[in-house]
Structures are given as C-alpha cells and as structure tokens.
C-alpha cells in the first residue's frame, strides 16, 4: 500500500533546547525507533525488517560499518539502524504526477528533510536541457541517453563516476571496471571526504589501511582509547563492544572535543540491567581536547612512554617487537624526546596531569586498542595524526597481538568494501595487471580525480558528464554553495538513487534520476534471487539478501544499471567483459573478484558455506608488514598548531542523532538536548558572553579564508554548550556552506570539516520563514 507524503517543510520555530544527556540508549531508544517504525511502515514490515537485519539470512544494515560480533549473539538492537531501514522501507512513494507539479526551481528552497519525506523514487525521470521539470522516461531511453553522452566525449576524463559507501561490493566492482574499461580513473568516493586520512596514515606504517583488530579483541584488551568519535549516534552497536571491554576489566579513555553522552555511560537495551539499572560507566577518563589537538596529545603520551623507558630501561617498551619487526625507531624516539611541552599544553588545552594520567594508563596496559573516526580524520593534520597514533601503538607492540590494535571505525556500511573493490582515483599496478589479465584491456595508469579535485574540475568546466551511484555530493562537499554553482555547468548529471536529495534538484544542464532497490528489497535477476556482499570495519565480508517486495516494479538494482550501461558503451570494444552474465547472476561477478582481488579466493563457495569470512590482514594475522621496508615503520611527523585569530572560533561540523549524513530523519538531537531544530550553533557560554550574545539569540555565522570573500549562514540560533572555550559546533550538511574548498589535509585532500575558522555576530531576528539563508 502506497502512502502520500507530507507536504509542509520544516522550520526551526518550535526549537526546544535542554541540557545534554548524561548517558546513551537505555529503554528510551528502542521505544523511540520502534514507535517511529510502526508509524511509518506498519507492524508487518517493521517485524520483517527488524528480524532480518544483520542476521545470517538477512540483509546488511545500511546505517554504518560497525562489525557484528564474531560469535553471533541475539539480534543486536540498534536504534539508528532501525531508523535507516524504516527510512528505506517506507511505503511513501513519489508518483509520476509529482514531477509535473514540482519544478526543480520550486524544490530549491526545500530542505533535505522535505526532499527525503517525499518518499521512494519509483520511475526513471529525465530533465532535458532548458527544462525546469523532470518527466518519466523509459529505462531504455534513459540508458541510451547516458551512453550517447559518454560516447560523445572528447576524452574519457571528461566523465566522473562518484560513489558513496551505500553501494555493495558487486556494483562497486562493476563501477570501477566500467570506468577503467571506459578509460578513466575518475572514481571519487565519499571516503575522500571521510576516512582517507586513515589509509594515508596507516599504510606507510604497517602496509594496510584497515583495522588491525578482530571484534573479539575488545573483550580482551586492557585499555581502549576512543578518539574523535560519537559512537552512541553514529555506531551505536559499538557501545556493546565497549561494554564487553569494560566487563572484561579494561579501562576506557575517551578523547573528544565535546562531552558526548555515549562516551560516559551506556544502558544496554539488550540487558535488563541496562534497561532498568544504572548501566555501564564507559570512560574512566574523559579528555576534552581542543580541536586538532590530538596529534599533540598522542606525541605527548609517546614522550612520557619514552621517558619512563629511559628511567627504567627494559620495562616499558616492547623491545622484542621493535627489534624484530620495526624500522625507524631511533629517529622517531629522538624527535619525540625533543618535543616542547608548552606547545603541547597550548595545542591540546589540557593540564599536564591529564596527559600524565593517560600516559600512565598506556604504560600500564599490555594490550591497547585505539579507535578513531572523523574528529581525527577531518583535520588538516589528519593523516599525520594517524601516523603518530601508529607510532604510539608500535612502541608497545600493539599490532598483531590479542586485545590490541589500531581500529579506524569507518562510516558508510560498505565504504571500506568499495575501496577494496578498487573504487579509488588511484590504480595500484598489481590491480591494473589483474584487470588486464582477466578482461583483456589496459586500464589507464594516470591518477584520476578525488572528490575535492572532481568538484574543482567541475567548477572549471572540465567535467561534462557526472555520474553518481548513491550519495549526495553537492551537499556533502565542502563549499556546498559553490559546488551547486559548479555542477550546473555539466552537460549531463546522472544520479542512481533511492530517495530524493539535493543533488537531484541541483543538476547539470540535462539530468537523469534513476531509481534502484534498497538493500532490504528482493533482487531477482534472470537466474533467480541474487545476494550481494559488504565489508564491515573489521574486514569481515558479510552476505546480504533482501526479503521485502520491491516498492515498485520499475526499480532496478545498481548492478543491473551498470551492466546495461556496460553493454551499451563497451559491448563491442571490450568483448571479454561479459556484462550479460554479470547481470543475470551475481556469482559471476564474485568469480571475477576472486580472480582479481587477493583475499577473495573461492568467494562464492566460502560465502555459501560460512555466510561471512574475514579478509587477510598480514600485520594482524602474522605480524607481516607489506610496507616498502618490509617492516613496521616508525615515522617522524611534523606538527602544525591551529592559529585561531583573535575573536574567532574554531568550528566543527558534525552529525545530529536523527540523521544519516545528508538524510534527515527528524529534527532532534536527543543526547545534545536539541528538539525540533537543526539551525543551531553550539558555543561555550563564556564565548557568548564575551560577544554580548545570549542563549537562543539569532546569529549570523561567517567563515573566513585568506583572499576569499566571507562565507555566511544567517539566522542560526546560539546554543550555550559545554564545548571547549573558543570552539563551536554546527550540523553537517547545512554547515558545508562554511567549509572553504581549499581547506584540506594536503596528505589526502580531505576537507577539514572539523576545523573551520568562524566568527559569529548578532543576526536578524526573527528569521523570515523560520529558515536560515546562505549568501
Ligand atoms: N546514525 C548515523 N550513523 C552514521 C552516520 C550518520 O550520519 N548517522 N554517518 C556514517 C558515516 S559516513 C561516518 S563517516 C560515521 C561518522 O561518525 P563520527 O566520526 O562519530 O561522526 P561525527 O558526527 O562527525 O562526529 C565526530 C566526533 O568527533 C568529535 N571531534 C570533533 N573535532 C575533534 C577533535 O579535534 N578531536 C577529537 N578528539 N574529537 C573531535 C566530535 O565532537 C564528535 O563527537 O558515522 C556513520 N554512521
Ligand atoms: N561538513 C561536513 N561535510 C561532510 C562530512 C562532515 O562530517 N562534515 N562528512 C563526510 C562524510 S564522512 C561522508 S561519508 C559524506 C557522505 O556523502 P554521501 O555518501 O555522498 O551522502 P549520503 O547522504 O550518505 O547519500 C545518501 C543518498 O544515497 C542514496 N542511496 C541510499 N541507498 C542507496 C543504494 O543502495 N543505492 C543507490 N544507488 N543509492 C542509494 C539515497 O538517494 C540517499 O539520498 O559526507 C561528507 N561531508
Ligand atoms: Mo563517512
């Protein structure tokens, strides 16, 4: 049964602000999400999706990349997982009449919330150049239009193929195959905006850019340090692993710019004690750090470790590990011992006693896990910080031993898998050779464009065709207002998607919008029902298989779309790529993967037998380090303190509790005390007072970049919040207007979304229409 969408957009007029919460989850969370689920999709569909999510016979949860326990417990309840699935499985659909009723111009002032609320996309639609409306188009005509545009390009590099980590391994593999067989490495992905620094920091150190822990290591560690991450909102099931660590006797330290509730205390909804009792105290030490201070903190801890070793030689470092497996120790030690302590205190904003306390915990621990997410990666020194995290772990041999390791916690449910499948603007030589052997063509060797470079090339008019499999790049990109101006210059933009978003209404001259199945829906092709796979953050490949009846007969799968495109564009020029077999039976895609990507040998067989398996990880499995030197490598990093000019604040852009990236489920951010609003800027009370501003006052927020006019968001509400003094926080994606395009980590070109210099001034009150404006 299809339902009609609500038509009203939201404003912040009903905004309510209360004090931040002191714990996460508990009984409130299951109630909240189940009530929401039932309201939206009905009892039957809710039961069906809740029972099949992340189960051995079910589908992979699309919300985040957090892992399932190695030894499966009962269904792990996850509030935000359920919200994501309910959002996908909604019976609200966009009817064909919608497109005649809504011009693109009329949708420009709609919020992401409104766009998503219109329901599932059900038919392919096309907007011709010069038209202000999409209109239904047949799949054949849509694909012919795209194929003609690609064939008409002067160079394959005039096309860009973006993907978000929503798509699964099989379509990701075909996407990169298509792009390379077509002749370009222009394969930007959301990882460029997210965890790119993780690979850039980890690979030189240990040769692998992925987590070196198994799920069960959390139950075996002595110490876990959670850095720059808000697990209660973004990886709620990780709280179970942290609880396992605590129950196993481990200490936990949280390092964050904000006192996030979920780092402090957790009430596990799976357990009676969690539902009714006090729950588990998580952080034994909470370190509220200045933004960008983490590299200094890690180096300070390393210095304390090295000094303790000097005072009692042979008692602190893991000499056996360093001697046998590592290279570069002496140079690193000398550099760290020479650090200036004053610089550390200034950059971190911490007291020496806080640093000493953390250092002592690290010294006392025989098995330490360090986890991190965007508070670490979206910084100018992101890759360097991660390299220094690796240095610290190496000092005590915390790689490749039980209960220890580096655990970057990735975001999108299959962002790690997409990269494993080869979605990357760079093409490693070994993979190029494997593609050549399997498919008989020579892939391009030149690096392609990453996300920032692609948007810059679009601005410069160098990209004619922009194709996006999932995602919402104009909203997710830094300098989003400029991204919108840029994309309008493309001849054709093509979005393969499930629900309406900003990138569908801010388009190239012509635009195609192609609707696909969601993960919870059955995918039936010529050879019968198909399965797909995803890789979680600890390198486990999980099988996924939807059970729900598709909401429309006109939906196709991501794989189907790619195969149809492959046949049309490359059918004759690349005869050894058998798109038809790939389309009919996804086992044949996995067979090709098993022959071209190490670790996937006997892919289909293992999947059918075991349902999931863990990819090899040489440092984790055998302390083998596929680095240039063949050893784990200590590196000497440089530091750079952030210079915040007088009167300015350091802004981070982050997620509210009820959103998934650019998808907004509701206007609440429960743990931070925000109800019915998103246009808020969190500021320390002293900073408000210093500017003569009061809580709740309307403010304008300006961001500054040398040589460029100020960027501004007007009509935000000031919220007094226990940030570090001098800091501020706002919600992504709206605040992307303020992130300068040039503000990136030079090591990996990731926007510094957690590090934007702003000033706030009293604004116009009341805001016309209750919604702020960017100009
Ligand atoms: N429900 C839900 N789940 C999601 C997502 C979602 O939007 N909604 N998004 C998914 C994706 S793609 C990703 S990448 C992940 C993101 O997961 P997170 O990285 O948890 O996402 P953010 O909301 O950006 O939170 C960043 C955290 O870093 C802290 N922080 C900011 N600056 C600093 C700093 O300089 N130092 C330190 N130590 N901390 C800092 C912030 O206070 C905040 O707690 O979540 C994934 N899961
Ligand atoms: N300022 C600032 N900017 C940021 C961040 C930040 O913290 N601050 N975070 C960055 C991060 S970590 C990330 S990962 C990016 C996220 O950027 P993206 O990944 O580009 O954006 P999403 O909002 O996750 O994309 C969601 C869209 O994917 C489509 N979709 C969902 N499922 C499927 C599917 O199965 N198939 C297909 N074809 N489409 C599907 C839906 O239409 C939905 O609207 O944003 C980045 N931008
Ligand atoms: Mo992400």
């Amino acid at each position: 049964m299809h339902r009609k969408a609500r038509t009203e957009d939201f404003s912040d007029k009903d905004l309510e602000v209360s004090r931040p919460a002191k714990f996460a989850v508990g009984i409130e969370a299951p109630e909240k999400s189940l009530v929401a689920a039932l309201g939206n999709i009905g009892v039957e569909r809710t039961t069906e999706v809740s029972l099949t999510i992340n189960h051995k016979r079910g589908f992979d949860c699309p919300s985040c990349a957090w892992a399932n326990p190695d030894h499966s417990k009962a269904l792990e309840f996850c509030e935000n997982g359920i919200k994501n699935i309910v959002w996908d499985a909604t019976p609200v659909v966009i009817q064909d009449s919608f497109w005649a009723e809504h011009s693109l111009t009329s949708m420009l002032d709609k919020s992401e919330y409104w766009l998503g609320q219109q329901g599932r996309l059900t038919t392919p639609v096309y907007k011709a150049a010069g038209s202000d409306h999409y209109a239904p188009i047949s799949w054949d005509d849509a694909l012919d239009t795209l194929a003609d545009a690609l064939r008409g390009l002067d160079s394959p590099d005039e096309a860009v193929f973006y993907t978000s980590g929503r798509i699964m391994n099989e379509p990701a593999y075909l996407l990169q195959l298509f792009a390379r067989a077509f002749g370009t490495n222009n394969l930007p992905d959301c990882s460029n905006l997210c965890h790119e620094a993780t690979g850039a920091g980890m690979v030189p150190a240990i040769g692998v850019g992925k987590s070196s822990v198994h799920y069960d290591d959390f139950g075996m560690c002595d110490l876990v340090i959670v850095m720059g991450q808000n697990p209660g909102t973004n990886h709620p099931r990780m709280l179970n692993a942290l609880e396992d660590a605590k129950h196993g006797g481990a200490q936990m330290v949280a390092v964050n710019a904000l006192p996030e509730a979920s780092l402090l205390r957790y009430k596990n909804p799976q357990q009676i004690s969690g539902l009714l009792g006090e729950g588990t105290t998580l952080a034994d030490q909470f370190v509220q750090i200045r933004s960008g201070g983490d590299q200094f903190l890690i180096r300070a801890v390393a210095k304390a470790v090295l000094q303790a070793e000097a005072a009692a030689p042979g008692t602190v470092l893991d000499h056996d590990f360093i001697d046998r497996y590592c290279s570069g120790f002496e140079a690193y030690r000398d550099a760290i011992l020479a650090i200036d302590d004053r610089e550390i205190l200034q950059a971190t904003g911490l007291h020496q006693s806080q640093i000493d306390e953390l250092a002592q915990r690290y010294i006392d621990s025989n098995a330490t896990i360090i986890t991190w997410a965007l508070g670490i990666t979206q910084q100018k020194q992101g890759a360097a910080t991660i390299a220094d995290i690796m240095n610290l772990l190496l000092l005590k041999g915390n790689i490749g031993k039980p209960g220890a390791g580096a655990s970057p916690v990735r975001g999108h449910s299959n962002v790690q898998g997409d990269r494993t499948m080869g979605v990357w603007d760079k093409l490693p030589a070994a993979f190029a050779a494997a593609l050549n052997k399997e498919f008989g063509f020579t892939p391009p060797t030149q690096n392609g464009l990453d996300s920032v470079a692609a948007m810059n090339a679009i601005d410069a008019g160098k990209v004619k065709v922009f194709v996006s499999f999932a995602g919402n790049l104009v909203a997710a990109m830094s300098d989003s207002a400029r991204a919108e101006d840029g994309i309008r210059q493309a001849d054709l933009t093509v979005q393969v998607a499930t629900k309406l978003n900003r990138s569908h209404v801010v388009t190239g001259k012509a635009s195609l919008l192609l609707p696909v199945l969601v993960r919870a829906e059955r995918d039936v092709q010529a050879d019968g029902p198909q399965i797909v796979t995803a890789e979680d953050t600890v390198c486990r490949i999980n099988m996924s298989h939807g059970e729900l009846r598709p909401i429309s007969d006109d939906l196709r799968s991501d794989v189907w779309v790619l195969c149809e495109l492959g046949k049309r564009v490359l059918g004759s020029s690349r005869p050894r790529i058998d798109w038809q077999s790939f389309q009919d039976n996804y086992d044949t895609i996995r067979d090709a993967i098993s022959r071209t990507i190490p670790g996937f040998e006997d892919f289909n067989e293992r999947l059918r037998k075991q349902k999931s398996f863990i990819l090899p990880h040489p440092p984790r499995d055998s302390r083998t380090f596929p680095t240039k030197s063949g050893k784990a490598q200590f590196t000497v990093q440089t530091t750079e303190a952030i210079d915040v000019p007088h009167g300015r604040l350091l802004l981070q852009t982050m997620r509210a509790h009820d959103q998934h990236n650019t998808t907004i489920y509701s206007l609440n951010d429960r743990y931070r005390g925000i109800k019915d609003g998103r246009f808020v800027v969190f500021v320390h009370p002293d900073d408000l007072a210093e500017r003569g501003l009061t809580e709740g006052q309307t403010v304008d927020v300006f961001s500054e970049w040398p040589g460029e006019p100020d960027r501004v968001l007007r009509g935000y509400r000031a919220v007094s919040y226990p940030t570090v003094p001098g800091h501020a926080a706002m919600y992504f994606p709206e605040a992307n207007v303020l992130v300068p395009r040039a503000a990136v980590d030079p090591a990996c070109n990731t926007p510094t979304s957690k590090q934007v210099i702003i000033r706030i001034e009293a604004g116009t009150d009341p805001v016309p229409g209750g919604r702020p404006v960017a100009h």
Side-chain angles (χ1 to χ4, degrees):
M1 250 285 287
H2 296 164
R3 297 209 200 140
K4 247 183 113 55
R6 49 176 277 168
T7 46
E8 216 181 294
D9 206 345
F10 79 100
S11 75
D12 264 14
K13 63 182 179 347
D14 298 325
L15 172 73
E16 281 176 36
V17 179
S18 53
R19 290 301 108 212
K22 295 260 188 305
F23 65 87
V25 194
I27 197 155
E28 206 185 6
E31 255 183 7
K32 287 237 149 74
S33 58
L34 287 178
V35 167
L38 292 169
N40 270 294
I41 65 174
V43 182
E44 223 174 283
R45 250 166 121 88
T46 304
T47 318
E48 218 177 323
V49 292
S50 338
L51 290 180
T52 51
I53 173 179
N54 277 2
H55 264 197
K56 294 227 155 136
R57 259 181 45 73
F59 62 95
D60 190 67
C61 178
S63 189
C64 80
W66 183 252
N68 290 321
D70 290 342
H71 306 287
S72 201
K73 303 175 184 168
L75 166 72
E76 282 198 300
F77 176 81
C78 173
E79 178 194 357
N80 277 347
I82 300 277
K83 277 188 223 152
N84 202 307
I85 290 153
V86 167
W87 181 258
D88 276 0
T90 173
V92 178
V93 297
I94 294 186
Q95 313 277 1
D96 285 355
S97 56
F98 175 91
W99 305 110
E101 287 160 13
H102 295 87
S103 67
L104 271 76
T105 305
S106 75
M107 287 189 277
L108 283 179
D109 67 353
K110 300 295 190 201
S111 66
E112 290 284 3
Y113 183 56
W114 185 91
L115 292 172
Q117 290 280 339
Q118 302 316 300
R120 286 283 300 282
L121 297 163
T122 49
T123 351
V125 289
Y126 177 59
K127 179 198 98 73
S131 167
D132 196 21
H133 285 266
Y134 280 111
I137 183 174
S138 70
W139 273 103
D140 267 340
D141 289 348
L143 290 158
D144 287 344
T145 305
L146 170 55
D148 287 347
L150 289 173
R151 275 192 302 255
L153 295 176
D154 290 337
S155 149
D157 290 329
E158 290 178 342
V160 163
F161 301 91
Y162 173 72
T163 178
S164 138
R166 289 292 293 224
I167 71 167
M168 304 297 266
N169 286 330
E170 290 72 9
Y173 184 79
L174 295 188
L175 178 67
Q176 64 81 32
L177 178 62
F178 178 85
R180 285 163 176 150
F182 179 64
T184 182
N185 284 320
N186 285 347
L187 285 160
D189 67 350
C190 70
S191 186
N192 301 147
L193 311 172
C194 179
H195 261 284
E196 200 67 48
T198 291
M202 284 183 79
V203 171
I206 62 167
V208 179
K210 301 179 182 183
S211 173
S212 80
V213 305
H214 288 290
Y215 186 98
D216 286 353
D217 283 319
F218 283 90
M220 293 188 263
C221 67
D222 289 346
L223 174 66
V224 52
I225 307 176
V226 180
M227 302 188 72
Q229 204 192 338
N230 182 19
T233 288
N234 297 315
H235 307 92
R237 288 177 300 115
M238 182 180 171
L239 297 182
N240 295 345
L242 294 174
E243 194 183 45
D244 286 351
K246 292 300 307 249
H247 288 168
Q251 308 249 310
M252 173 178 151
V253 178
V255 183
N256 201 295
L258 295 176
E260 307 284 25
S262 71
L263 298 169
L264 307 175
R265 180 174 285 277
Y266 175 46
K267 298 194 178 188
N268 187 337
Q270 258 94 232
Q271 291 167 3
I272 291 292
S273 60
L275 289 178
L276 304 175
E278 283 295 291
T280 306
T281 300
L282 290 178
D284 297 280
Q285 186 187 356
F286 175 70
V287 181
Q288 190 168 13
I289 197 164
R290 288 181 60 97
S291 236
D294 302 81
Q295 190 190 4
F296 291 88
L297 173 65
I298 290 292
R299 290 160 69 89
V301 170
K303 183 175 178 183
V305 170
L306 290 166
Q307 284 172 333
E309 172 70 21
T315 60
V316 178
L317 301 184
D318 185 341
H319 286 285
D320 183 49
F321 178 80
I322 295 173
D323 295 345
R324 264 176 81 181
Y325 297 107
C326 300
S327 149
F329 170 68
E330 286 77 14
Y332 168 72
R333 179 195 56 205
D334 296 349
I336 292 293
L337 286 172
I339 292 174
D340 175 358
D341 291 339
R342 277 166 315 180
E343 202 187 39
I344 289 171
L345 299 183
Q346 170 103 38
T348 58
L350 301 173
H351 295 292
Q352 188 62 45
S353 61
Q354 293 173 285
I355 298 173
D356 293 343
E357 185 183 335
L358 173 54
Q360 196 56 49
R361 289 179 200 279
Y362 186 71
I363 290 168
D364 292 343
S365 160
N366 286 320
T368 299
I369 295 175
I370 302 184
T371 82
W372 68 86
L374 302 185
I376 303 300
T377 61
Q378 294 178 330
Q379 304 278 357
K380 187 165 180 204
Q381 289 286 104
T385 305
I386 290 152
D388 268 327
I389 290 175
M390 299 312 293
N391 287 328
L392 180 64
L393 288 169
L394 293 180
L395 282 179
K396 283 179 61 72
N398 278 313
I399 300 290
K401 78 175 172 193
S407 186
V409 181
R410 283 202 158 77
H412 262 305
S413 51
N414 196 40
V415 64
Q416 190 164 310
D418 289 354
R419 184 58 62 84
T420 306
M421 291 297 113
V423 172
W424 200 17
D425 49 283
K426 298 172 188 69
L427 177 58
F431 188 46
L435 289 177
N436 177 288
K437 184 162 173 236
E438 175 76 15
F439 299 110
F441 72 92
T442 309
T445 49
Q446 198 193 337
N447 286 350
L449 300 169
D450 62 23
S451 295
V452 166
M455 288 314 288
N456 289 343
I458 286 174
D459 281 353
K462 291 185 188 151
V463 175
K464 303 276 187 280
V465 178
F466 174 82
V467 182
S468 184
F469 273 78
N472 183 1
L473 190 57
V474 298
M477 176 53 58
S478 48
D479 238 342
S480 46
R482 180 174 147 199
E484 296 194 355
D485 292 342
I487 202 86
R488 291 179 193 284
Q489 301 179 65
D491 290 338
L492 175 67
T493 49
V494 182
Q495 300 281 340
V496 182
T498 55
K499 279 193 152 185
L500 204 55
N501 68 40
R502 184 79 183 169
S503 297
H504 307 160
V505 299
V506 180
T507 68
K509 291 169 196 150
S511 174
L512 281 164
L513 186 46
L514 308 178
V516 286
L517 298 167
V518 296
R519 242 174 247 187
E521 287 169 331
R522 272 196 298 273
D523 179 358
V524 182
Q525 302 296 338
D527 284 3
Q530 302 299 315
I531 55 170
V532 284
T533 58
E535 178 181 341
D536 67 28
T537 196
V538 296
C539 317
R540 185 183 279 280
I541 302 295
N542 294 296
M543 178 164 127
S544 174
H545 149 217
E547 304 263 353
L548 292 186
R549 188 167 47 81
I551 199 76
S552 148
D553 293 337
D554 223 5
L555 298 178
R556 300 293 184 267
S557 71
D558 287 309
V559 165
W560 186 94
V561 176
L562 281 157
C563 291
E564 284 296 319
L565 195 60
K567 285 188 268 183
R568 281 174 170 76
V569 179
L570 304 170
S572 50
S573 61
R574 303 281 184 236
R576 280 181 49 196
I577 308 179
D578 187 352
W579 299 103
Q580 192 61 53
S581 298
F582 289 160
Q583 188 171 18
D584 292 346
N585 189 337
Y586 301 176
D587 279 3
T588 61
I589 309 173
R590 282 182 289 273
D591 285 339
I593 293 170
S594 72
R595 290 188 294 265
T596 47
I597 302 182
F600 286 88
E601 297 76 16
D602 302 322
F603 194 176
N604 281 305
E605 209 186 315
R606 280 197 283 168
L607 205 58
R608 293 258 153 48
K609 230 190 260 162
Q610 299 156 224
K611 310 292 183 237
S612 78
F613 59 90
I614 291 190
L615 290 176
H617 187 300
R620 178 197 65 199
D621 302 338
S622 59
R623 291 189 157 176
T624 307
F625 297 96
T627 55
K628 282 198 186 115
S629 62
K631 296 209 156 192
Q633 188 69 44
F634 282 98
T635 57
V636 176
Q637 300 295 321
T638 53
T639 53
E640 189 182 321
I642 305 170
D643 178 24
V644 184
H646 181 73
R648 309 305 191 263
L649 299 171
L650 196 53
L651 171 77
Q652 65 150 318
T653 58
M654 62 187 186
R655 288 146 178 79
H657 192 65
D658 284 6
Q659 74 180 81
H660 190 275
N661 296 342
T662 69
T663 296
I664 312 300
Y665 308 128
S666 94
L667 310 177
N668 302 334
D669 191 10
R670 190 170 80 238
Y671 296 147
R672 299 195 187 103
I674 299 297
K675 188 163 178 295
D676 281 331
R678 288 184 57 82
F679 302 125
V680 290
V681 48
F682 298 92
V683 185
H684 192 274
D686 294 351
D687 290 314
L688 286 179
E690 201 176 290
R691 287 161 181 76
L693 299 169
T694 52
E695 162 131 65
Q697 186 170 343
T698 301
V699 293
D700 295 342
V701 185
F702 299 83
S703 95
E704 302 174 354
W705 190 259
E708 295 183 9
D710 288 350
R711 294 156 176 83
V712 54
L713 278 173
R714 293 184 194 279
Y716 269 63
R717 224 79 72 82
V719 172
S720 173
Y721 203 78
T723 61
V724 178
H727 285 55
M730 292 167 81
Y731 297 131
F732 143 74
E734 293 86 344
N736 249 331
V737 167
L738 300 174
V739 185
R741 183 70 57 76
V744 293
D745 175 350
C748 56
N749 225 14
T750 298
T752 64
S753 312
K754 300 288 185 275
Q755 196 185 109
V756 182
I757 290 174
I758 58 161
R759 63 174 203 277
I760 56 174
E761 295 175 2
T764 332
D765 201 17
V767 181
R771 302 245 317 275
V773 282
H775 52 91

